[in-house]
Amino acid sequence: HTDHTAWQEDASIASAAVSGNACRPTRPWLLEKLTDLFEHVYFARTQPLHNEFPTAWTPGAIPRSPRLIMIASRTPIENSLLVTQAPEVYDYQQ
């Protein structure tokens, strides 16, 4: 799997990379790294209603700077809104 996506940003924008060289880690990479540190890693089944939190993680549907909610824990968490595999489609948070 790909570790990250890379692109050029306008370095004059406050939220952009200072060098203009930007990258975002992929969901599989985040899962792998969090699993190295925590025994239990979860994805939220829902996403906030915001354009940077996509509900579909399919090619062409993901925004340039996507966000998601993940939770890492040393103890198991029983919650119907958490799953251990990255959803391809999320619900919006109510």
Coordinates of all heavy atoms in Angstrom, one line a residue:
H1 N 0.8 -1.2 0.0 CA 0.0 0.0 0.0 C 0.9 1.2 0.0 O 2.0 1.2 0.4 CB -1.0 0.0 1.2 CG -0.3 0.0 2.5 ND1 0.2 1.2 3.1 CD2 0.0 -0.9 3.4 CE1 0.7 0.9 4.2 NE2 0.6 -0.4 4.5
T2 N 0.3 2.3 -0.5 CA 1.0 3.6 -0.5 C 1.0 4.2 0.9 O 0.0 4.2 1.6 CB 0.4 4.6 -1.5 OG1 0.3 3.9 -2.8 CG2 1.1 5.8 -1.6
D3 N 2.2 4.7 1.3 CA 2.3 5.3 2.6 C 1.7 6.7 2.7 O 1.2 7.1 3.8 CB 3.8 5.4 3.0 CG 4.4 4.1 3.3 OD1 3.7 3.1 3.3 OD2 5.7 4.1 3.4
H4 N 1.7 7.4 1.6 CA 1.2 8.8 1.7 C 0.9 9.3 0.3 O 1.3 8.7 -0.7 CB 2.2 9.7 2.3 CG 3.5 9.8 1.5 ND1 4.5 8.9 1.5 CD2 3.9 10.8 0.6 CE1 5.5 9.2 0.7 NE2 5.1 10.4 0.2
T5 N 0.2 10.4 0.2 CA 0.0 11.1 -1.0 C 0.8 12.4 -0.9 O 0.9 13.0 0.1 CB -1.5 11.4 -1.3 OG1 -2.0 12.1 -0.1 CG2 -2.3 10.2 -1.5
A6 N 1.4 12.8 -2.0 CA 2.3 13.9 -2.0 C 1.9 14.9 -3.1 O 1.4 14.5 -4.2 CB 3.7 13.5 -2.3
W7 N 2.1 16.2 -2.9 CA 1.7 17.2 -3.9 C 2.4 18.5 -3.5 O 2.9 18.7 -2.4 CB 0.2 17.4 -4.0 CG -0.4 18.0 -2.8 CD1 -0.6 19.3 -2.4 CD2 -1.1 17.2 -1.8 NE1 -1.2 19.4 -1.2 CE2 -1.5 18.1 -0.8 CE3 -1.2 15.8 -1.6 CZ2 -2.2 17.7 0.3 CZ3 -1.9 15.5 -0.4 CH2 -2.4 16.4 0.5
Q8 N 2.3 19.5 -4.4 CA 2.9 20.8 -4.1 C 1.7 21.7 -3.6 O 0.6 21.7 -4.1 CB 3.4 21.4 -5.4 CG 4.7 20.8 -5.9 CD 5.8 21.0 -4.9 OE1 6.3 20.0 -4.4 NE2 6.2 22.2 -4.6
E9 N 2.1 22.5 -2.6 CA 1.1 23.5 -2.0 C 1.7 24.9 -2.2 O 2.9 25.1 -2.3 CB 0.9 23.2 -0.5 CG 0.1 22.0 -0.2 CD -0.2 21.8 1.3 OE1 0.7 22.2 2.1 OE2 -1.3 21.4 1.6
D10 N 0.8 25.9 -2.1 CA 1.2 27.3 -2.0 C 1.7 27.6 -0.6 O 0.9 27.7 0.3 CB 0.0 28.2 -2.4 CG 0.3 29.6 -2.4 OD1 1.5 30.0 -2.0 OD2 -0.5 30.4 -2.9
A11 N 3.0 27.7 -0.5 CA 3.6 27.9 0.8 C 3.2 29.2 1.5 O 3.4 29.4 2.7 CB 5.1 27.8 0.7
S12 N 2.6 30.1 0.8 CA 2.2 31.4 1.4 C 0.8 31.2 2.2 O 0.5 32.1 2.9 CB 2.0 32.5 0.3 OG 0.9 32.2 -0.5
I13 N 0.2 30.1 2.0 CA -1.1 29.8 2.7 C -0.7 29.3 4.1 O 0.1 28.4 4.3 CB -2.0 28.8 2.0 CG1 -2.4 29.4 0.6 CG2 -3.2 28.4 2.8 CD1 -3.1 28.5 -0.3
A14 N -1.3 29.8 5.2 CA -1.0 29.5 6.5 C -1.1 28.0 6.9 O -0.3 27.5 7.6 CB -1.8 30.3 7.5
S15 N -2.1 27.3 6.3 CA -2.3 25.9 6.6 C -1.4 25.0 5.7 O -1.5 23.8 5.9 CB -3.7 25.6 6.5 OG -4.2 25.7 5.2
A16 N -0.6 25.6 4.8 CA 0.2 24.8 3.9 C 1.5 24.4 4.5 O 2.0 25.1 5.4 CB 0.3 25.5 2.6
A17 N 2.2 23.5 3.9 CA 3.6 23.1 4.3 C 4.5 24.3 4.0 O 4.4 25.0 2.9 CB 4.0 21.9 3.5
V18 N 5.4 24.6 4.9 CA 6.3 25.8 4.8 C 7.1 25.6 3.5 O 7.4 26.6 2.8 CB 7.2 25.9 6.0 CG1 8.3 27.0 5.8 CG2 6.4 26.2 7.2
S19 N 7.5 24.4 3.2 CA 8.4 24.2 2.0 C 7.6 24.2 0.7 O 8.1 24.2 -0.4 CB 9.1 22.9 2.1 OG 8.2 21.8 2.1
G20 N 6.2 24.0 0.8 CA 5.4 23.8 -0.3 C 5.3 22.4 -0.7 O 4.5 22.0 -1.6
N21 N 6.1 21.5 -0.1 CA 6.0 20.0 -0.4 C 5.1 19.4 0.7 O 5.5 19.3 1.8 CB 7.4 19.4 -0.4 CG 8.3 20.0 -1.5 OD1 7.9 20.2 -2.6 ND2 9.5 20.3 -1.1
A22 N 4.0 18.9 0.3 CA 3.0 18.4 1.3 C 2.8 16.9 1.1 O 3.0 16.4 0.0 CB 1.7 19.1 1.1
C23 N 2.4 16.3 2.1 CA 2.0 14.9 2.0 C 1.1 14.6 3.2 O 1.1 15.2 4.2 CB 3.2 13.9 2.1 SG 4.0 13.7 3.7
R24 N 0.2 13.6 2.9 CA -0.7 13.1 3.9 C -0.6 11.6 4.0 O -0.6 10.9 3.0 CB -2.2 13.5 3.6 CG -2.5 14.9 3.4 CD -2.5 15.6 4.8 NE -2.9 17.0 4.7 CZ -2.1 18.0 4.5 NH1 -0.9 17.9 4.3 NH2 -2.6 19.3 4.4
P25 N -0.5 11.1 5.3 CA -0.4 9.6 5.4 C -1.7 9.0 5.0 O -2.8 9.6 5.1 CB -0.1 9.4 6.9 CG -0.6 10.7 7.5 CD -0.4 11.8 6.5
T26 N -1.7 7.8 4.5 CA -2.9 7.0 4.1 C -3.5 6.4 5.3 O -2.8 6.2 6.4 CB -2.5 5.9 3.1 OG1 -1.6 5.0 3.7 CG2 -1.9 6.5 1.8
R27 N -4.7 5.9 5.2 CA -5.4 5.2 6.3 C -4.7 3.9 6.7 O -4.5 3.7 7.9 CB -6.9 5.0 6.0 CG -7.7 6.3 5.9 CD -9.1 6.0 5.7 NE -9.4 5.2 4.6 CZ -10.5 4.6 4.4 NH1 -11.6 4.7 5.2 NH2 -10.7 3.8 3.3
P28 N -4.2 3.1 5.7 CA -3.5 1.9 6.1 C -2.2 2.2 6.8 O -1.8 1.5 7.7 CB -3.2 1.2 4.7 CG -4.3 1.7 3.8 CD -4.6 3.1 4.3
W29 N -1.5 3.3 6.4 CA -0.3 3.6 7.1 C -0.6 4.1 8.5 O 0.1 3.6 9.5 CB 0.4 4.7 6.3 CG 1.8 5.1 6.9 CD1 3.0 4.5 6.6 CD2 2.1 6.1 7.9 NE1 4.0 5.1 7.3 CE2 3.5 6.1 8.1 CE3 1.3 7.0 8.6 CZ2 4.1 6.9 9.1 CZ3 1.9 7.8 9.5 CH2 3.3 7.8 9.7
L30 N -1.6 4.9 8.7 CA -2.0 5.3 10.1 C -2.3 4.1 10.9 O -1.9 4.0 12.1 CB -3.1 6.3 10.0 CG -2.8 7.7 9.5 CD1 -4.1 8.4 9.2 CD2 -1.9 8.4 10.5
L31 N -3.1 3.2 10.4 CA -3.5 2.0 11.1 C -2.3 1.2 11.5 O -2.2 0.8 12.7 CB -4.5 1.2 10.3 CG -4.9 -0.2 10.9 CD1 -5.7 0.1 12.2 CD2 -5.8 -0.9 9.9
E32 N -1.4 1.0 10.6 CA -0.1 0.2 10.9 C 0.7 0.9 12.0 O 1.1 0.2 13.0 CB 0.7 0.1 9.6 CG 2.0 -0.6 9.8 CD 2.9 -0.6 8.6 OE1 2.3 -0.8 7.5 OE2 4.1 -0.5 8.7
K33 N 0.9 2.2 11.9 CA 1.7 2.9 12.9 C 1.0 2.9 14.3 O 1.7 2.7 15.3 CB 2.0 4.3 12.5 CG 2.9 4.3 11.2 CD 4.1 3.5 11.4 CE 4.9 3.5 10.1 NZ 6.1 2.6 10.1
L34 N -0.3 3.1 14.3 CA -1.0 3.1 15.6 C -1.0 1.7 16.2 O -0.9 1.6 17.4 CB -2.4 3.7 15.4 CG -2.5 5.2 15.3 CD1 -4.0 5.6 14.9 CD2 -2.0 5.9 16.5
T35 N -1.2 0.7 15.4 CA -1.2 -0.7 15.8 C 0.2 -1.1 16.4 O 0.3 -1.9 17.3 CB -1.6 -1.6 14.7 OG1 -2.9 -1.3 14.2 CG2 -1.6 -3.1 15.2
D36 N 1.2 -0.5 15.9 CA 2.6 -0.7 16.5 C 2.7 -0.2 18.0 O 3.4 -0.7 18.8 CB 3.7 0.0 15.7 CG 3.9 -0.7 14.4 OD1 3.4 -1.8 14.2 OD2 4.6 -0.1 13.5
L37 N 1.9 0.8 18.3 CA 1.9 1.5 19.6 C 0.8 1.1 20.6 O 1.0 1.2 21.8 CB 1.9 3.0 19.4 CG 3.1 3.6 18.6 CD1 2.8 5.1 18.3 CD2 4.4 3.4 19.3
F38 N -0.3 0.7 20.0 CA -1.5 0.4 20.8 C -2.1 -0.9 20.4 O -2.1 -1.3 19.3 CB -2.6 1.5 20.6 CG -2.2 2.9 21.1 CD1 -1.6 3.8 20.3 CD2 -2.4 3.2 22.4 CE1 -1.2 5.0 20.7 CE2 -2.0 4.5 22.9 CZ -1.4 5.4 22.0
E39 N -2.6 -1.6 21.4 CA -3.2 -2.9 21.1 C -4.6 -2.9 20.4 O -4.9 -3.7 19.7 CB -3.4 -3.7 22.5 CG -3.8 -5.1 22.3 CD -3.9 -5.9 23.6 OE1 -3.3 -5.4 24.6 OE2 -4.5 -6.9 23.6
H40 N -5.3 -1.8 20.6 CA -6.6 -1.6 20.1 C -6.7 -0.3 19.3 O -6.5 0.8 19.8 CB -7.7 -1.6 21.2 CG -7.5 -2.8 22.1 ND1 -8.1 -4.1 21.7 CD2 -6.9 -3.0 23.3 CE1 -7.8 -4.9 22.7 NE2 -7.1 -4.3 23.6
V41 N -7.0 -0.4 18.0 CA -7.1 0.8 17.1 C -8.5 0.7 16.4 O -8.9 -0.4 15.9 CB -6.0 0.8 16.1 CG1 -6.1 2.1 15.2 CG2 -4.6 0.9 16.9
Y42 N -9.2 1.8 16.4 CA -10.5 1.8 15.9 C -10.7 3.0 14.9 O -10.1 4.0 15.0 CB -11.6 2.0 17.0 CG -11.5 1.0 18.1 CD1 -10.7 1.2 19.2 CD2 -12.1 -0.2 18.0 CE1 -10.7 0.3 20.2 CE2 -12.1 -1.2 19.0 CZ -11.3 -0.9 20.1 OH -11.2 -1.8 21.1
F43 N -11.6 2.8 14.0 CA -12.1 3.9 13.1 C -13.5 4.2 13.6 O -14.3 3.3 13.9 CB -12.2 3.4 11.6 CG -10.8 3.2 11.0 CD1 -10.2 2.0 11.2 CD2 -10.2 4.2 10.3 CE1 -9.0 1.7 10.6 CE2 -9.0 4.0 9.7 CZ -8.4 2.7 9.8
A44 N -13.8 5.5 13.6 CA -15.2 5.9 13.8 C -16.1 5.5 12.6 O -15.6 5.7 11.5 CB -15.3 7.4 14.1
R45 N -17.3 5.1 12.8 CA -18.2 4.7 11.7 C -18.8 5.9 11.1 O -19.4 5.9 10.0 CB -19.3 3.7 12.2 CG -18.7 2.4 12.5 CD -19.8 1.4 13.0 NE -20.9 1.4 12.0 CZ -22.1 1.1 12.3 NH1 -22.5 0.9 13.5 NH2 -23.1 1.1 11.4
T46 N -18.7 7.0 11.8 CA -19.3 8.3 11.3 C -18.3 9.3 11.1 O -17.2 9.3 11.7 CB -20.4 8.8 12.3 OG1 -19.8 9.1 13.5 CG2 -21.5 7.8 12.5
Q47 N -18.6 10.3 10.3 CA -17.7 11.5 10.1 C -18.5 12.7 10.4 O -19.7 12.8 10.2 CB -17.3 11.5 8.6 CG -16.3 10.4 8.2 CD -14.9 10.7 8.5 OE1 -14.5 10.9 9.7 NE2 -14.1 10.7 7.5
P48 N -17.8 13.8 10.9 CA -18.5 15.1 11.0 C -19.0 15.6 9.7 O -18.4 15.3 8.7 CB -17.4 16.0 11.6 CG -16.4 15.0 12.2 CD -16.4 13.8 11.3
L49 N -20.0 16.4 9.7 CA -20.6 17.0 8.5 C -19.7 18.2 8.1 O -19.9 19.3 8.5 CB -22.0 17.4 8.7 CG -22.7 18.0 7.5 CD1 -22.7 17.0 6.3 CD2 -24.2 18.3 7.9
H50 N -18.6 17.9 7.4 CA -17.6 18.9 7.0 C -17.0 18.4 5.7 O -16.7 17.2 5.6 CB -16.6 19.1 8.1 CG -15.7 20.2 7.9 ND1 -14.5 20.1 7.1 CD2 -15.6 21.5 8.4 CE1 -13.9 21.2 7.0 NE2 -14.5 22.1 7.8
N51 N -16.7 19.3 4.8 CA -16.1 18.9 3.5 C -14.8 18.2 3.6 O -14.4 17.5 2.6 CB -16.1 20.1 2.5 CG -15.2 21.2 3.0 OD1 -14.8 21.3 4.1 ND2 -14.8 22.0 2.0
E52 N -14.0 18.4 4.6 CA -12.7 17.7 4.7 C -12.8 16.3 5.4 O -11.8 15.6 5.5 CB -11.7 18.6 5.5 CG -11.3 19.8 4.7 CD -10.3 20.6 5.4 OE1 -9.9 20.3 6.6 OE2 -9.8 21.6 4.8
F53 N -14.0 15.9 5.8 CA -14.3 14.6 6.3 C -15.1 13.8 5.3 O -16.4 13.9 5.4 CB -15.0 14.7 7.7 CG -14.1 15.2 8.8 CD1 -14.0 16.5 9.0 CD2 -13.5 14.3 9.6 CE1 -13.2 17.0 10.1 CE2 -12.7 14.7 10.7 CZ -12.5 16.1 10.9
P54 N -14.5 13.2 4.3 CA -15.3 12.5 3.3 C -16.1 11.3 3.9 O -15.7 10.7 4.8 CB -14.3 12.0 2.3 CG -13.1 11.9 3.1 CD -13.1 12.9 4.2
T55 N -17.2 11.0 3.2 CA -18.0 9.8 3.6 C -17.7 8.7 2.7 O -17.9 7.5 3.0 CB -19.5 10.1 3.6 OG1 -19.9 10.6 2.3 CG2 -19.9 11.1 4.6
A56 N -17.1 8.9 1.5 CA -16.7 7.9 0.6 C -15.2 8.0 0.4 O -14.7 9.0 0.0 CB -17.4 8.1 -0.7
W57 N -14.5 6.9 0.6 CA -13.1 6.8 0.4 C -12.8 6.0 -0.8 O -12.0 5.0 -0.8 CB -12.4 6.2 1.7 CG -12.4 7.2 2.8 CD1 -13.4 7.6 3.6 CD2 -11.3 8.0 3.2 NE1 -13.1 8.5 4.4 CE2 -11.7 8.8 4.3 CE3 -10.0 8.1 2.8 CZ2 -10.9 9.7 4.9 CZ3 -9.1 9.0 3.5 CH2 -9.6 9.8 4.5
T58 N -13.3 6.3 -1.9 CA -13.1 5.7 -3.2 C -12.3 6.6 -4.1 O -12.4 7.8 -3.9 CB -14.4 5.3 -3.9 OG1 -15.2 6.5 -4.0 CG2 -15.2 4.3 -3.0
P59 N -11.5 6.1 -5.0 CA -10.7 7.0 -5.9 C -11.6 8.0 -6.6 O -12.7 7.7 -7.0 CB -10.1 6.0 -6.9 CG -10.1 4.7 -6.2 CD -11.3 4.7 -5.3
G60 N -11.2 9.2 -6.6 CA -11.9 10.3 -7.2 C -12.9 11.0 -6.2 O -13.3 12.1 -6.5
A61 N -13.2 10.4 -5.1 CA -14.2 10.9 -4.1 C -13.5 11.6 -2.9 O -14.1 12.3 -2.2 CB -15.1 9.9 -3.7
I62 N -12.2 11.3 -2.8 CA -11.5 11.8 -1.6 C -11.0 13.2 -1.8 O -10.3 13.5 -2.8 CB -10.3 10.9 -1.2 CG1 -10.8 9.4 -1.1 CG2 -9.6 11.3 0.0 CD1 -9.7 8.4 -1.0
P63 N -11.2 14.2 -0.9 CA -10.7 15.5 -1.1 C -9.2 15.5 -1.0 O -8.6 14.6 -0.5 CB -11.4 16.3 0.0 CG -11.8 15.3 1.1 CD -12.0 14.0 0.3
R64 N -8.6 16.6 -1.4 CA -7.1 16.7 -1.4 C -6.6 16.6 0.0 O -5.5 16.1 0.2 CB -6.8 18.1 -2.0 CG -5.3 18.3 -2.1 CD -5.0 19.5 -2.9 NE -3.6 19.8 -2.8 CZ -2.9 20.5 -3.6 NH1 -3.6 21.1 -4.6 NH2 -1.7 20.8 -3.5
S65 N -7.2 17.1 1.0 CA -6.7 17.1 2.4 C -7.8 16.5 3.3 O -8.4 17.1 4.1 CB -6.4 18.5 2.8 OG -5.8 18.5 4.1
P66 N -7.9 15.1 3.2 CA -9.0 14.5 3.9 C -8.6 14.3 5.4 O -7.5 14.2 5.8 CB -9.1 13.1 3.3 CG -7.7 12.8 2.8 CD -7.2 14.2 2.3
R67 N -9.7 14.2 6.2 CA -9.5 14.0 7.6 C -10.4 12.8 8.0 O -11.4 12.5 7.4 CB -9.9 15.2 8.4 CG -9.1 16.4 8.2 CD -9.6 17.6 8.9 NE -8.8 18.8 8.6 CZ -8.6 19.8 9.4 NH1 -9.1 19.8 10.6 NH2 -7.9 20.8 9.0
L68 N -10.0 12.2 9.1 CA -10.9 11.1 9.6 C -10.6 11.0 11.1 O -9.7 11.6 11.7 CB -10.5 9.8 9.0 CG -9.2 9.1 9.4 CD1 -9.5 7.6 9.4 CD2 -8.2 9.5 8.4
I69 N -11.5 10.2 11.8 CA -11.4 10.0 13.2 C -10.9 8.6 13.5 O -11.6 7.7 13.0 CB -12.7 10.3 13.9 CG1 -13.1 11.8 13.7 CG2 -12.6 10.0 15.4 CD1 -14.5 12.1 14.1
M70 N -9.8 8.5 14.2 CA -9.3 7.2 14.7 C -9.1 7.3 16.2 O -8.8 8.3 16.7 CB -8.0 6.8 14.0 CG -8.2 6.6 12.5 SD -6.6 6.1 11.7 CE -6.4 4.5 12.3
I71 N -9.2 6.1 16.8 CA -9.0 6.1 18.3 C -8.1 4.9 18.6 O -8.3 3.8 18.1 CB -10.4 5.9 19.0 CG1 -11.3 7.1 18.8 CG2 -10.2 5.7 20.5 CD1 -12.7 7.0 19.2
A72 N -7.1 5.2 19.4 CA -6.2 4.1 19.8 C -6.2 4.0 21.3 O -6.3 5.0 22.0 CB -4.7 4.5 19.4
S73 N -6.2 2.7 21.8 CA -6.4 2.5 23.2 C -5.6 1.3 23.6 O -5.3 0.4 22.9 CB -7.9 2.2 23.5 OG -8.1 1.9 24.8
R74 N -5.1 1.3 24.9 CA -4.5 0.1 25.5 C -5.4 -0.9 26.0 O -5.1 -2.0 26.2 CB -3.5 0.6 26.6 CG -2.4 1.4 26.1 CD -1.4 1.8 27.1 NE -0.2 2.6 26.8 CZ 0.1 3.2 25.8 NH1 -0.5 3.1 24.7 NH2 1.2 4.0 25.7
T75 N -6.7 -0.5 26.1 CA -7.7 -1.4 26.6 C -8.8 -1.5 25.5 O -9.1 -0.5 24.8 CB -8.3 -1.0 27.9 OG1 -8.9 0.3 27.8 CG2 -7.3 -1.1 29.0
P76 N -9.5 -2.6 25.4 CA -10.6 -2.7 24.4 C -11.7 -1.7 24.7 O -12.0 -1.4 25.9 CB -11.1 -4.1 24.5 CG -10.4 -4.8 25.5 CD -9.4 -3.8 26.1
I77 N -12.4 -1.2 23.6 CA -13.5 -0.2 23.8 C -14.7 -0.9 23.1 O -14.6 -1.2 21.9 CB -13.2 1.1 23.1 CG1 -12.0 1.8 23.8 CG2 -14.4 2.0 23.2 CD1 -11.5 3.1 23.1
E78 N -15.7 -1.1 23.8 CA -17.0 -1.7 23.3 C -17.9 -0.5 22.9 O -18.4 0.2 23.8 CB -17.7 -2.6 24.3 CG -16.9 -3.8 24.6 CD -16.7 -4.8 23.4 OE1 -17.6 -4.8 22.5 OE2 -15.6 -5.4 23.3
N79 N -18.1 -0.2 21.6 CA -18.9 0.9 21.2 C -19.4 0.6 19.8 O -18.5 0.4 18.9 CB -18.2 2.2 21.3 CG -19.0 3.4 21.0 OD1 -19.7 3.5 20.0 ND2 -19.0 4.4 21.9
S80 N -20.6 0.6 19.5 CA -21.2 0.3 18.2 C -20.8 1.3 17.1 O -20.9 1.0 15.9 CB -22.7 0.2 18.2 OG -23.3 1.4 18.6
L81 N -20.2 2.5 17.5 CA -19.8 3.5 16.5 C -18.3 3.3 16.2 O -17.8 4.1 15.4 CB -20.1 4.9 17.1 CG -21.5 5.2 17.3 CD1 -21.7 6.6 17.9 CD2 -22.3 5.2 16.0
L82 N -17.7 2.3 16.7 CA -16.3 2.1 16.4 C -16.1 0.7 15.7 O -16.7 -0.2 16.0 CB -15.4 2.1 17.7 CG -15.4 3.3 18.5 CD1 -14.6 3.1 19.8 CD2 -15.0 4.5 17.7
V83 N -15.2 0.7 14.7 CA -14.9 -0.5 13.9 C -13.4 -0.6 13.8 O -12.7 0.3 13.9 CB -15.6 -0.5 12.5 CG1 -17.1 -0.6 12.6 CG2 -15.1 0.7 11.7
T84 N -12.9 -1.9 13.6 CA -11.5 -2.1 13.5 C -10.9 -2.0 12.1 O -9.7 -2.0 11.9 CB -11.1 -3.5 14.1 OG1 -11.8 -4.5 13.4 CG2 -11.5 -3.5 15.6
Q85 N -11.8 -2.0 11.1 CA -11.3 -1.9 9.7 C -11.8 -0.5 9.1 O -12.9 -0.1 9.4 CB -11.9 -3.0 8.8 CG -11.4 -4.4 9.3 CD -9.9 -4.5 9.1 OE1 -9.3 -4.1 8.1 NE2 -9.2 -5.1 10.1
A86 N -11.0 0.1 8.3 CA -11.4 1.4 7.7 C -12.6 1.2 6.8 O -12.5 0.5 5.8 CB -10.2 1.9 6.9
P87 N -13.7 1.9 7.1 CA -14.9 1.8 6.2 C -14.6 2.5 4.8 O -13.9 3.4 4.7 CB -15.9 2.6 6.9 CG -15.4 2.8 8.4 CD -13.9 2.7 8.3
E88 N -15.2 1.9 3.8 CA -15.1 2.5 2.5 C -16.1 3.7 2.4 O -15.9 4.6 1.7 CB -15.3 1.5 1.4 CG -14.2 0.5 1.2 CD -12.9 1.2 0.9 OE1 -12.8 2.1 0.0 OE2 -11.9 0.9 1.5
V89 N -17.2 3.5 3.1 CA -18.3 4.5 3.2 C -18.6 4.8 4.6 O -18.9 3.8 5.4 CB -19.5 4.1 2.4 CG1 -20.6 5.1 2.5 CG2 -19.2 3.8 0.9
Y90 N -18.7 6.0 5.0 CA -19.0 6.4 6.4 C -20.4 7.0 6.4 O -20.9 7.6 5.4 CB -18.0 7.5 6.9 CG -16.6 7.1 7.1 CD1 -15.7 7.0 6.1 CD2 -16.2 6.8 8.4 CE1 -14.4 6.6 6.4 CE2 -14.9 6.4 8.7 CZ -14.0 6.3 7.7 OH -12.7 5.9 7.9
D91 N -21.0 7.0 7.5 CA -22.2 7.8 7.7 C -21.8 9.2 8.3 O -20.7 9.3 8.9 CB -23.1 7.1 8.8 CG -23.7 5.8 8.3 OD1 -24.0 5.8 7.1 OD2 -23.9 4.9 9.1
Y92 N -22.7 10.2 8.1 CA -22.4 11.5 8.8 C -22.8 11.4 10.2 O -23.8 10.7 10.6 CB -23.1 12.6 8.1 CG -22.3 13.2 6.9 CD1 -22.9 13.3 5.7 CD2 -21.0 13.7 7.1 CE1 -22.2 13.9 4.6 CE2 -20.3 14.2 6.1 CZ -20.9 14.3 4.8 OH -20.2 14.9 3.8
Q93 N -22.1 12.1 11.1 CA -22.4 12.2 12.5 C -23.7 12.9 12.7 O -23.9 14.0 12.1 CB -21.3 12.9 13.2 CG -21.4 13.0 14.7 CD -20.2 13.6 15.3 OE1 -19.1 13.5 14.8 NE2 -20.4 14.3 16.4
Q94 N -24.6 12.4 13.5 CA -25.9 13.0 13.7 C -25.8 14.0 14.9 O -25.2 13.8 15.8 CB -27.0 12.0 14.0 CG -27.1 11.0 12.8 CD -27.8 11.7 11.6 OE1 -28.6 12.6 11.7 NE2 -27.4 11.2 10.4

